[in-house]
């Protein structure tokens, strides 16, 4: 009886999970109340926002704001998606908002924005306290770090300077070695604009625009300038390990590490609060935050938060933001901005944020969904029990059959209804508007109008709506109420029809169990198809975005180009970036690191597998095998830190001892650590393959007098070879797709090299750095990530299909 | 074969007879034995190397993280002055002044107001809130003098632990000579205590290392895993049962199979992209919430569970199915009543391993915003939260020195969770594993 219950519960549990999955997707964001402020944006502004948020929450007891560092561009993208509680209220920026971003905001109705300049950030070039403090001009920085210089005849040549002495005879004879941010970072953009462009201009005078974009903006990629990812802590550690290296940081970071780092002078000026604030330090940039005025008074505490952020306690003398290294504005200017932002007239908001209907509707629907199937079950069971003689199926089967017919079609109707209600109502509302009202609106207007009507209907209006809009909103509310009632009625009717029809079929020769089983099969098939849908989702989103990328760059250029330099932004006034998006060096770097990983992991993994399969005692196996499998369970973030903090410095030191020049983020370090990660992967797959060889082969070999090692190398390994090969291919695909280790430990510069001591970059590194940087969201730089993702997906797909094919064929040989 | 002392060896020696016990045979036998030993040693070496790597990994983390497991506290005798804290509104009192006053009374020699301001920074800036929470919880304390231990601020904590130097040029140090003297004076007075750092587990995130803890991240990870489990476990088992037991072998089911196997190897960052594009942008599920994190992780965990379940189902011997069929059970009854319960231990093991992997996953969570700074613990699947690995990622990026040790300590806590989960999987496997 218990077993029967389990079997009957199964379809319901599966159905429930599917409903959960389906319905969570349909939670309209507007139905979720929000009582905390949401802030996104630049990682440079992040520490200050963080401090203001913590003080605000502790002081006022308001819900803690959610502060997320998305990069300036990423922040703008989310910020500008629209008004309403599903979008952030404030975004931080390490540059002013660009016209294209303002346009996007305006398109989505975000027009009333307060801009607050909060202070300045000085970009500093720092060195370990043991190192040499240089005094450089911007021209010297350019000579040291630019990819190309002009020779006396005016031709651009590859930068020949290797040491600081090459740059200027008065500088020390030290190798140039500067760690800096990747091209996707706002810090990098600021450095290029404030230091490189100025230096270029000082050297060569005013140049044509294309040369400023190309030659003056390009950092060298041949070694002396090392792009080191976004993690500044790691750069600090490297600087402390190597006192001849320099690093480019934001000022707050230098401020926090002033006991181990010193900034070099730029034209004789050391960056400090005073020199950045008064502008005498040459490389400084403004920091901003932007707030949606329409959200004030709607989002609890937002006005108070803005007051806190710009208060004297935060930004005044000795304020807590200054303790974090913010270089504040002059007092009068600060007070002026504060008054402007705090006093920006928050538009009065009428009405409630929450559409009131959702609450009761959800409960009624839930109650119907639970009670009717239960009633169906009881009804079906009692009717079957009443017949009792010579039934094909048990009474309980009949009950379950009725319950399933009561619930499953209803759920389908519900999902269908929820998916269609909003679009249908929108279309109806649009159709109901008078032609006079619609006349003269632009192409994109209908969606805007509908959005406006919807906000008004939801009680969120920030400006007084016109009479036409108000009438439409009232209509919308009315129709929604009808739709809600309709939904409840539809659910009740469909459920009851299902219940009655199914109950009417209860009869001695009715095969209720078969019905349940068919339904169960269908549900299980649906579950299996979820996996297909997620693949489909991946493919569609990748292909869609890649197609947009390939509008800018031809597929052939991307796949076969030998030059990967996403740092050259492709602007409107520029010919399509020829060769700048050639991904071959990126693929090569990926293969190099994956290759190193396999060289490390294959022997160790295979030998461990052999040992476990044939030599190890039961106790040894029971202890050591899970112990090694721990390696597979360690999060890859941890490996990343391990590579950067332990392996890379050790390799570098060892290299120096034997006279080899190992780069700080060499492919070897990343590859070796990745190898450690995939050891257990290989060892358990190989172990499986070896133990799957039929015992008869092994016993036959031993019986003929072969030693264990002979049995292994001559009998077991050849027999298990296809399985092992399949396992190795799976390991390769894992190595290619691994993200966090290489993000942290591998380089950012794509180079055509097979030297494991050089720094190379991988596909996954490029995806992450392109997607999480401060670039504008719709630039080809960002879209390139999706093209790389598509290639990565297809490559792993191919590897897996081949590997699984091999494994399967092999398995069938012995069955 | 008449002479048992001679034998015919395979391979190149075929056709030659070797006398048992002859020096030639003994030499060859020794060589074969040596080869045997060699392979065994190589294997043992490989295992030992792997284990050594684990030790180095954990060891280096423990070395850099151990200091974060204690926290230096300052013990203060605070008189809750009714003039500063009103009994009817205990949450708006001037606790900052109380803490400062108590601290200044310990070092009465410090008179200059700039120095006094500096001295006040010895206690964590969160100290007033700790005092406030205590008084709000028990308003009868107003008017009394209570002993309260508050964390000292990060530089002093690092000084006490010997992480930052006391000597060297003063301008290069975070703490000046007089600050060190104050601190030493307090140590002599017995007001400084090193305590076990429970805050690491029970506090939420903060911008001050001495106050920052993992509670928010742990709750976020918990809710995300809950969602992940609720979705991936039933759907995974249902898919696996269907594919293994009921699906007709045709092009469509093999397409599904290839799909699932391939999904298992899709780089995790791609799932993050999917979560961002589909769950957040298309369906409008709120960003940063454990709900969307759990759903993304569920898609990632699904193939693991499906594959583990299929292996477990396949391992149930045919005799059991045949016996059940022979007694008249239907195909579904065989699977649901017999095969599935017997395969359950294997399924649970696979599920736990999949969950452990989901717990450690970072990249997809970065893309769906579960890396925000939130100083409260998450109250449910719809409240924004961070997860353990992303919290580690945030701390690793924080410039304050105290976060370096806390990052490593956070990693150790995460690994402790993972080891616990994996150990339970191993125990489960051991306890219920059946050899047929």
């Amino acid at each position: 009886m218990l077993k029967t219950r389990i079997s009957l519960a199964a379809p319901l549990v599966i159905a429930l999970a599917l409903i959960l999955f389906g319905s969570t997707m349909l939670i309209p964001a507007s139905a979720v109340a929000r009582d905390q402020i949401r802030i996104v944006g630049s990682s440079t502004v992040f520490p200050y926002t963080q401090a203001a948020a913590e003080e605000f929450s502790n002081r006022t007891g308001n819900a803690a704001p959610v502060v997320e560092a998305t990069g300036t561009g990423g922040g703008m993208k989310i910020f500008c998606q629209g008004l309403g509680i599903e979008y952030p209220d404030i975004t931080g920026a390490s540059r002013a908002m660009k016209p294209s971003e303002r346009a996007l905001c305006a398109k989505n109705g975000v027009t009333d924005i307060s801009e607050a300049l909060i202070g300045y950030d000085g970009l500093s070039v720092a060195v370990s306290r043991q190192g040499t403090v240089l005094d450089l001009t911007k021209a010297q920085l350019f000579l040291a770090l630019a990819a190309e210089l002009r020779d006396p005849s005016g031709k651009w040549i590859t930068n020949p300077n290797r040491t600081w002495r090459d740059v200027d005879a008065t500088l020390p004879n030290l190798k140039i070695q500067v760690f800096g941010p990747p091209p996707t970072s706002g810090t990098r953009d600021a450095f290029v604009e404030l230091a490189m462009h100025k230096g270029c201009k000082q050297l060569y005078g005013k140049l044509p625009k294309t040369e400023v974009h190309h030659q003056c903006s390009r950092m060298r990629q041949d070694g002396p300038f090392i792009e080191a990812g976004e993690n500044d802590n790691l750069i600090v550690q490297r600087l402390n390990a190597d006192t001849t290296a320099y690093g480019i940081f934001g000022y707050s970071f230098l401020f926090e590490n002033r006991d181990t780092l010193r900034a070099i002078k730029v034209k004789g000026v050391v960056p400090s609060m005073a020199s950045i604030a008064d502008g005498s330090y040459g490389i400084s940039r403004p920091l901003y935050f932007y707030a949606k005025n329409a959200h004030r008074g709607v989002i609890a505490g937002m006005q108070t938060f803005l007051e806190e952020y710009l208060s004297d306690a935060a930004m005044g003398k000795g304020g807590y933001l200054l303790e974090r290294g913010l270089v504040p504005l002059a007092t009068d200017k600060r007070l002026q901005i504060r008054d402007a932002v705090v006093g920006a007239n928050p538009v009065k908001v009428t009405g409630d944020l929450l559409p009131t209907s959702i609450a009761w509707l959800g409960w009624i629907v839930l109650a119907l969904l639970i009670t009717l199937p239960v009633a169906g079950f009881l009804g079906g069971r009692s009717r079957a029990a009443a017949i009792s003689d010579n039934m094909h199926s048990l009474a309980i089967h009949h009950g379950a059959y009725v319950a399933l017919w009561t619930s499953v079609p209803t759920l389908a109707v519900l999902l269908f209804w929820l998916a269609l209600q909003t679009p249908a109502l929108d279309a109806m509302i649009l159709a109901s508007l008078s032609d006079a009202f619609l006349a003269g609106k632009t192409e994109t207007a209908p969606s805007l109008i509908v959005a406006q009507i919807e906000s008004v209907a939801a009680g969120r209006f920030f400006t007084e709506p016109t009479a036409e809009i108000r009438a439409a909103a009232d209509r919308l509310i009315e129709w929604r109420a009808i739709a809600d009632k309709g939904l409840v009625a539809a659910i009740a009717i469909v459920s009851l029809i299902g219940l009655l029809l199914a109950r009417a079929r209860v009869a001695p020769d009715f095969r209720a169990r078969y019905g349940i089983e068919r339904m169960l099969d269908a549900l299980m098939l649906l579950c299996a198809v979820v996996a297909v849908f997620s693949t489909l989702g991946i493919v569609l989103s990748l292909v869609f975005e890649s197609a947009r990328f390939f509008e800018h760059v031809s597929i052939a250029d991307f796949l076969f180009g030998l030059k990967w330099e996403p740092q050259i932004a492709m602007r409107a006034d520029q010919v399509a970036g020829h060769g700048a998006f050639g991904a071959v060096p990126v693929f090569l770097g990926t293969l190099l690191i994956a290759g190193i990983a396999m060289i490390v992991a294959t022997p160790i993994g295979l030998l461990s597998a052999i040992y476990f399969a044939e030599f190890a005692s039961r106790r040894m196996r029971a202890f050591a095998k899970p112990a090694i499998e721990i390696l597979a369970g360690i999060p890859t973030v941890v490996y990343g830190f391990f590579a950067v903090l332990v392996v890379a410095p050790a390799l570098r030191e060892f290299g120096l001892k034997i006279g080899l020049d190992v780069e700080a983020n060499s492919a070897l370090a990343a590859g070796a650590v990745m190898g450690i990660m995939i050891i257990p992967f290989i060892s358990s797959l190989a172990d499986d393959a070896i133990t799957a060889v039929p015992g008869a082969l092994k016993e036959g070999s031993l019986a003929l007098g072969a030693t264990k090692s002979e049995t292994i190398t001559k009998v077991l390994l050849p027999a298990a070879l296809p399985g092992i090969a399949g396992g190795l291919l799976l390991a390769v695909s894992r190595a290619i797709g691994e993200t966090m280790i290489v993000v942290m430990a591998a380089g950012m510069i794509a180079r055509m090299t097979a030297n494991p001591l050089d720094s190379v970059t991988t596909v996954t590194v490029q995806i992450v750095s392109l997607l999480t940087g401060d670039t504008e969201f719709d630039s080809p730089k960002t879209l390139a990530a999706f093209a790389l993702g598509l290639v990565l997906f297809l490559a792993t797909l191919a590897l897996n299909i081949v590997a699984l094919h091999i494994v399967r064929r092999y398995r069938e040989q012995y069955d | 074969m008449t002479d048992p002392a001679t034998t015919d060896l395979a391979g190149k020696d075929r056709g030659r007879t070797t006398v048992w016990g002859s020096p030639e045979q003994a030499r060859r036998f020794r060589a074969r034995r040596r080869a045997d030993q060699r392979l065994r040693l190589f294997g043992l070496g490989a295992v030992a190397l792997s284990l050594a790597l684990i030790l180095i990994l954990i060891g280096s983390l423990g070395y850099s993280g151990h200091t974060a497991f204690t926290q230096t506290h300052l013990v203060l005798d605070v008189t809750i002055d009714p003039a500063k804290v009103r009994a009817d509104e205990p949450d708006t009192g001037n606790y900052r002044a109380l803490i400062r006053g108590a601290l200044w009374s310990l070092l009465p020699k410090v008179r200059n107001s700039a120095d006094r301001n500096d001295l006040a920074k010895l206690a964590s800036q969160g100290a007033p809130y700790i005092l406030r929470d205590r008084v709000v919880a028990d308003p009868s304390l107003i008017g009394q003098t209570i002993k309260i231990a508050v964390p000292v601020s990060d530089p002093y904590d690092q000084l006490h632990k010997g992480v930052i130097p006391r000597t060297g040029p003063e301008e290069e140090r975070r703490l000046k000579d007089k600050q060190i003297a104050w601190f030493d004076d307090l140590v002599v007075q017995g007001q400084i205590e090193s305590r076990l750092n429970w805050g690491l587990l029970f506090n939420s995130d903060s911008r001050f290392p001495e106050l920052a803890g993992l509670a928010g991240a742990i709750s976020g990870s918990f809710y995300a895993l809950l969602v992940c489990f609720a979705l991936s476990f039933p759907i995974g088992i249902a898919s696996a049962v269907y594919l293994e037991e009921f699906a007709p072998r045709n092009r469509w089911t093999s397409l599904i199979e290839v799909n699932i196997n391939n999904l298992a190897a899709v780089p995790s960052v791609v799932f993050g992209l999917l979560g961002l594009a589909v769950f957040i942008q298309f369906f409008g599920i709120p960003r940063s919430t454990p709900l969307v994190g759990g759903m993304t992780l569920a898609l990632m965990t699904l193939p693991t569970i499906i594959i583990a379940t299929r292996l477990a189902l396949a391992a149930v011997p045919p005799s059991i199915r045949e016996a059940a069929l022979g007694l008249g059970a239907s195909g579904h009854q065989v699977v649901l009543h017999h095969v599935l319960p017997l395969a359950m231990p294997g399924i649970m093991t696979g599920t736990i391993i999949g969950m452990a992997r989901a717990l450690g996953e970072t990249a997809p969570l970065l893309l769906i915003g579960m890396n925000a700074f939130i100083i409260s613990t998450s109250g449910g699947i719809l409240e924004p939260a961070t997860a353990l690995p992303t919290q580690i990622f945030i701390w690793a990026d924080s410039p304050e020195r105290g976060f370096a040790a806390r990052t490593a300590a956070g990693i150790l806590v995460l690994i402790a969770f993972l080891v616990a989960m994996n150990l339970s999987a191993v125990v489960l496997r051991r306890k219920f594993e059946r050899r047929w």
Side-chain angles (χ1 to χ4, degrees), chain A residues 304-328:
Chain A
T304 325
F305 175 76
L306 292 177
E307 284 165 16
E308 173 74 44
Y309 206 147
L310 297 165
S311 67
D312 281 341
M315 290 193 182
K317 196 166 172 297
Y320 56 82
L321 294 184
L322 273 52
E323 281 174 16
R324 305 212 93 190
L326 177 72
V327 178

Side-chain angles (χ1 to χ4, degrees), chain A residues 25 29 38 54 58 67-68 129 233 256 259 324 513 517 521 535 611 627 637 641 705 709-710 797 800, chain B residues 32 36 44 54 132 172 174 206-207 259 262 283-284 287-288 330 332 362 369 372-373 396 398 400-401:
Chain A
M25 290 188 186
R38 298 214 49 143
E54 189 168 358
N58 275 334
V67 191
E68 200 185 326
R129 286 246 165 216
N233 277 324
E256 195 53 50
D259 55 333
R324 305 212 93 190
R513 182 164 56 75
E517 289 178 356
D521 278 353
T535 310
Y611 186 78
V637 162
F641 279 102
S709 73
E710 285 158 357
L797 180 77
N800 288 311
Chain B
R32 289 172 63 205
D36 204 39
L44 193 59
I54 296 176
R132 179 190 69 189
E172 290 181 13
R174 297 158 73 83
S206 165
R207 72 183 193 277
N259 230 309
N262 186 59
F283 290 109
R287 218 179 139 76
S288 301
S330 74
H332 285 76
T362 321
F373 171 77
S398 304
E400 286 82 3
R401 197 61 49 83

Side-chain angles (χ1 to χ4, degrees), chain B residues 280-336:
Chain B
I280 295 181
Q281 287 177 357
F282 192 71
F283 290 109
I285 302 173
R287 218 179 139 76
S288 301
T289 52
L291 175 66
V292 66
M295 288 172 72
T296 308
L297 293 176
L299 288 186
M300 225 185 67
T301 318
L302 207 52
T304 314
I305 295 182
I306 294 176
I307 292 168
T309 306
R310 293 191 65 177
L311 288 177
L313 290 173
V316 176
S319 55
I320 293 200
R321 298 160 207 268
E322 283 151 15
L325 282 172
L327 288 172
S330 74
H332 285 76
Q333 285 168 335
V334 171
V335 172
L336 290 172

Side-chain angles (χ1 to χ4, degrees), chain B residues 389-405:
Chain B
T390 49
Q391 184 71 64
I392 289 164
F393 191 78
I394 299 170
W395 283 358
D397 230 10
S398 304
E400 286 82 3
R401 197 61 49 83
F403 278 120

Side-chain angles (χ1 to χ4, degrees), chain A residues 505-665:
Chain A
R505 298 185 73 174
V506 175
D509 59 348
F510 177 64
R511 301 174 172 187
R513 182 164 56 75
Y514 290 2
I516 298 172
E517 289 178 356
R518 270 199 301 276
M519 188 95 73
L520 185 55
D521 278 353
L523 280 174
M524 290 194 299
L525 177 63
L526 208 59
C527 287
V529 170
V530 166
V532 179
F533 276 130
S534 57
T535 310
L536 211 62
I538 291 172
V539 171
L540 283 184
S541 53
L542 289 179
V543 166
F544 184 68
E545 301 284 332
S546 302
R548 288 176 58 200
F549 172 70
F550 290 125
E551 283 170 12
H552 295 274
V553 178
S554 82
I555 296 185
D557 279 350
F558 174 71
L559 285 181
F560 305 112
L562 299 182
K563 214 167 170 200
W564 178 263
E565 280 187 33
Q567 61 169 318
I568 303 175
M570 297 198 300
R571 289 163 218 234
D573 56 350
Q574 200 179 309
V575 197
H578 242 320
F581 286 91
V584 170
V586 181
F587 299 149
L588 205 67
T590 310
L591 291 181
L592 178 64
I593 288 185
I596 294 169
M598 293 308 292
I599 290 173
V600 170
T602 309
I604 300 181
L606 271 186
L607 285 170
S608 311
I610 290 171
Y611 186 78
F612 283 136
E614 297 302 322
F615 291 113
S617 63
R618 276 187 79 91
R619 273 179 59 192
M620 171 83 176
R621 187 184 157 95
F623 155 75
K625 204 172 178 220
I628 287 185
E629 275 162 10
I630 289 178
L631 281 175
I634 292 177
T636 50
V637 162
V638 180
Y639 282 108
F641 279 102
F642 184 64
V644 173
L645 298 189
V646 182
V647 178
L651 276 176
R652 193 172 160 73
E653 220 159 276
F654 181 73
L656 283 179
K657 259 184 206 148
I658 58 169
L660 272 178
D661 187 25
V662 184
E663 290 212 17
N665 41 12

Side-chain angles (χ1 to χ4, degrees), chain B residues 41-112:
Chain B
L41 277 180
F42 279 148
L44 193 59
V47 174
L49 185 62
S50 312
L51 294 180
L53 287 170
I54 296 176
L55 288 183
I56 292 173
L57 189 70
I58 307 281
S60 66
L61 290 173
Y63 176 74
S64 36
H66 73 278
T67 58
F69 288 108
T70 59
Q71 171 66 46
T72 314
H73 280 78
L74 169 67
V75 183
L76 290 173
D77 294 303
V78 185
T79 307
I80 316 286
D81 185 353
K84 298 225 166 69
V85 181
R86 286 173 41 205
D88 50 340
E89 279 185 336
D91 53 336
T92 56
N94 190 350
Y95 295 97
R96 189 152 169 263
L98 293 180
I99 295 278
R100 288 177 157 229
L103 185 53
W104 287 336
S105 70
L106 287 174
L107 292 171
K109 275 178 292 183
V110 184
R111 288 246 147 261
N112 169 339

